[in-house]
């Protein structure tokens, strides 16, 4: 009797799901695609959310061999080529200035997950990242200039070092419309090479780390922060007075993280943009946690992590609206040459430097590829994704996350924020006076 009752309930559930799917396909896809109605707010948000879920599904099904960002990027491109409105992000209720603010909040949050000792320990990551950026610059400006012309190489080199701001800077000085499109296109499309390559490197590194742990060559203390195979005790002496736990709430956690976000913006202005607000946000998160101003893992504690991250990812993929079929055909040859040269430059410079500093070839290449993965949020997503599919339990997941995530985050911040902006300024001064 119970089985029959459950079967009937399930049949009703499947029927209701079918009704919802058909409703979405008719009202949210067919009527929008045929121009009968304009996509409404809830449908736009649901559509973007669905594409994010499909990307995750393919990633889990392939054990991160096909990164979720790669699949989702393809789906967004196809969507814009077919029936997506160009302003789907705004239609989904996301104001154009909101994602940048949320990215700063996320960066502060990520800073709270690092400790000062860990940040100092990442000097090797900084060196390897800079080596990878130098490799992109040298190879593109030499071999690239010879193969596709000096103007194209000069316009494309800064965006290929990882920065959206760098892409916008090069657009502003591009002498032709085609080169202006190229500047943004190479930034948007570089992930199609950067995502899968980074994912492969992180999986290889993760397997090596897990083997060492499972063979008893690596210890993990749940009460400490795991750094480079050593357990480092967490200090709990703070200069800021501590709020009683009973007074802490979602609102107070958000208040403290937004306060540091605002301070990062002020420091950006004080340094006249030479030190990016995102770098300041990271540093304030790190030192704010160490000094007791803000709690560790604050976005999770405020129960806002999922929504903030979802909006950021929607923003990233909505930028693909400028990639048209005509643009791809027009720039295919140049982009193919540029991306191959960029990967070669990263490998030729970052791997030898990383190995000399004691890092594995896989981890060195992954760090160097931070330039082609575009920094955050790809650095976060790819690291967490690799840890998730390789680990068998929470402890193994934590080991992999704390081994790979600090490196990829620092790499992304170095390349995609201040580093790429400085490179863009240098190239503009030399080639486009």
């Amino acid at each position: 009797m119970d089985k029959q009752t459950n079967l009937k309930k399930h049949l009703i559930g499947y029927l209701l799901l079918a009704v919802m799917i058909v409703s979405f396909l008719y009202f949210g896809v067919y009527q929008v695609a045929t121009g009968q109605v304009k996509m409404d707010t809830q449908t736009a948000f649901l559509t973007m959310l669905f594409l994010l879920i499909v990307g995750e599904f393919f990633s889990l099904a392939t054990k991160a061999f096909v990164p979720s960002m790669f699949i989702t990027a393809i789906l967004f491109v196809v969507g814009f080529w077919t029936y997506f409105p160009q302003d789907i992000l705004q239609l989904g209720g996301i104001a154009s200035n909101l994602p940048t603010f949320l990215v700063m909040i996320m960066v502060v949050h990520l800073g709270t997950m690092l400790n000062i000792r860990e940040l100092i320990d990442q000097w090797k990551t900084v060196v390897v990242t800079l080596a990878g950026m130098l490799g992109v610059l040298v190879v593109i400006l030499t071999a690239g200039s010879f193969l596709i012309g000096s103007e194209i190489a000069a316009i494309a080199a800064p965006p290929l070092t990882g920065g959206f701001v760098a892409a916008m800077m090069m657009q502003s000085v591009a002498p032709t419309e085609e080169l202006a499109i190229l500047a943004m296109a190479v930034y948007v499309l570089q992930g199609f090479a950067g995502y899968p390559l980074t994912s492969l490197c992180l999986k290889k590194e993760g397997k090596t780390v897990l083997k060492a742990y499972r063979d008893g060559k690596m210890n993990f203390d749940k009460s400490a922060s795991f750094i480079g195979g050593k357990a480092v005790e967490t200090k709990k002496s703070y200069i800021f007075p501590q709020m009683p736990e009973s007074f802490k709430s979602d609102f107070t956690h958000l208040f403290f993280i937004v306060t540091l976000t605002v301070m990062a913006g002020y420091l950006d202005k004080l340094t006249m943009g030479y030190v990016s607000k995102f770098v300041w946000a990271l540093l304030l998160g790190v030192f704010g946690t160490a000094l007791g101003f803000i709690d560790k893992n604050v976005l999770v504690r405020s129960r806002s992590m999922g929504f903030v991250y979802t909006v950021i990812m929607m923003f990233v993929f909505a930028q693909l609206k400028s990639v048209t079929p005509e643009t791809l055909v027009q720039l295919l040859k140049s982009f193919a040459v540029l991306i191959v040269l960029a990967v070669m430059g990263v490998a030729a410079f970052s791997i030898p430097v990383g190995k000399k500093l004691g890092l594995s070839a896989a981890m060195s290449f992954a760090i160097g590829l931070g330039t082609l993965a575009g920094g955050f949020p790809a650095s976060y997503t790819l690291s967490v994704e690799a840890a998730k599919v390789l680990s068998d339990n929470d402890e193994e997941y934590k080991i992999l996350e704390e081994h790979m995530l600090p490196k990829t985050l620092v790499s992304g911040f170095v390349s995609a924020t201040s580093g790429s902006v400085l490179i863009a300024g240098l190239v503009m001064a030399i080639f486009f006076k």
Side-chain angles (χ1 to χ4, degrees), residues 220-233:
F220 178 64
D221 183 356
K222 294 181 181 179
S223 64
S225 176
F226 185 82
I227 305 171
K230 295 181 180 180
V232 180
E233 294 183 358

Side-chain angles (χ1 to χ4, degrees), residues 379-412:
S379 55
Y380 177 85
T381 301
L382 294 171
S383 297
V384 169
E385 191 173 70
K388 185 185 297 182
V389 298
L390 291 174
S391 57
D392 291 336
N393 52 57
D394 289 341
E395 188 168 298
E396 290 185 352
Y397 172 82
K398 188 67 174 177
I399 288 173
L400 292 182
E401 182 188 50
E402 294 196 10
H403 175 77
M404 297 186 294
L405 187 56
K407 297 179 178 64
T408 56
L409 286 177
V410 171
S411 171

Side-chain angles (χ1 to χ4, degrees), residues 82-362:
T82 51
Y83 80 99
F84 279 12
Q86 293 294 294
D87 59 344
I88 189 172
L89 190 71
Q90 285 71 41
L91 287 177
I94 302 171
S96 58
N97 59 348
L98 177 62
T100 300
F101 170 62
L102 293 183
V103 168
M104 289 183 68
I105 286 179
M106 177 67 82
V107 172
V108 173
H109 162 77
L110 295 172
T112 70
M113 297 172 66
L114 299 172
N115 57 48
I116 296 176
R117 169 68 185 276
E118 193 167 21
L119 190 62
I120 295 172
D121 284 351
Q122 293 306 320
W123 69 269
K124 294 181 181 180
T125 298
V126 175
V127 173
V128 175
T129 303
L130 293 175
M133 296 175 71
L134 180 62
V136 171
L137 199 61
V138 170
V139 175
I140 293 293
L141 293 181
T142 54
S145 295
F146 175 75
L147 293 173
I148 55 178
S150 58
E151 270 195 343
I152 293 178
I155 285 290
L160 284 169
T161 60
F164 178 67
V165 176
M168 292 191 296
M169 291 171 66
M170 300 316 296
Q171 273 191 319
S172 68
V173 297
T176 66
E177 184 178 349
E178 180 181 343
L179 289 175
I181 295 173
L182 176 69
M184 188 57 65
V186 294
Y187 168 74
V188 171
L189 296 174
Q190 63 186 318
F192 285 91
Y195 298 161
L197 286 174
T198 304
S199 179
L200 287 172
C201 290
L202 290 176
K203 282 182 66 181
K204 182 175 176 59
E205 176 71 5
K207 288 177 181 177
T208 302
V209 172
L210 279 183
K211 186 177 187 304
Y213 171 69
R214 290 167 180 170
D215 291 344
K217 299 178 181 178
M218 181 181 292
N219 296 318
F220 178 64
D221 183 356
K222 294 181 181 179
S223 64
S225 176
F226 185 82
I227 305 171
K230 295 181 180 180
V232 180
E233 294 183 358
T234 305
K235 296 181 180 180
K236 294 185 178 180
S237 57
Y238 304 125
I239 66 169
F240 284 97
Q242 297 301 290
M243 178 183 291
E245 285 293 329
S246 59
F247 284 92
K248 292 181 180 179
S249 67
D250 296 350
F251 298 137
T252 60
H253 288 308
L254 287 174
F255 174 80
F256 288 122
I257 196 170
V258 171
T259 297
L260 293 185
T261 301
V262 171
M263 293 300 108
Y266 294 160
L267 288 168
D268 177 87
K269 292 178 182 178
L270 287 174
T271 55
M272 296 181 291
Y274 286 106
V275 180
S276 168
K277 57 187 177 184
F278 299 106
V279 174
W280 283 120
L282 176 69
L283 294 175
L284 288 177
V286 172
F287 288 98
T289 306
L291 300 176
F293 179 79
I294 194 170
D295 287 333
K296 192 177 180 70
N297 212 16
V298 64
L299 265 186
V300 173
R301 297 196 64 180
S302 71
R303 295 182 289 188
S304 306
M305 178 71 173
F307 184 77
V308 169
Y309 184 60
T310 297
V311 171
I312 291 172
M313 295 302 291
M314 288 178 177
F315 168 74
V316 169
F317 292 116
Q319 305 310 304
L320 295 170
K321 64 184 179 181
S322 60
V323 181
T324 65
E326 293 76 17
T327 302
L328 280 183
V329 172
Q330 185 179 15
L331 303 174
L332 183 60
K333 180 181 177 181
S334 296
F335 176 73
V337 172
L338 288 165
I339 203 68
V340 169
L341 291 177
V343 172
M344 292 172 59
V346 170
F349 281 65
S350 64
I351 293 177
V353 170
K355 292 181 73 173
K356 282 187 175 295
L357 294 177
L359 300 174
S360 68

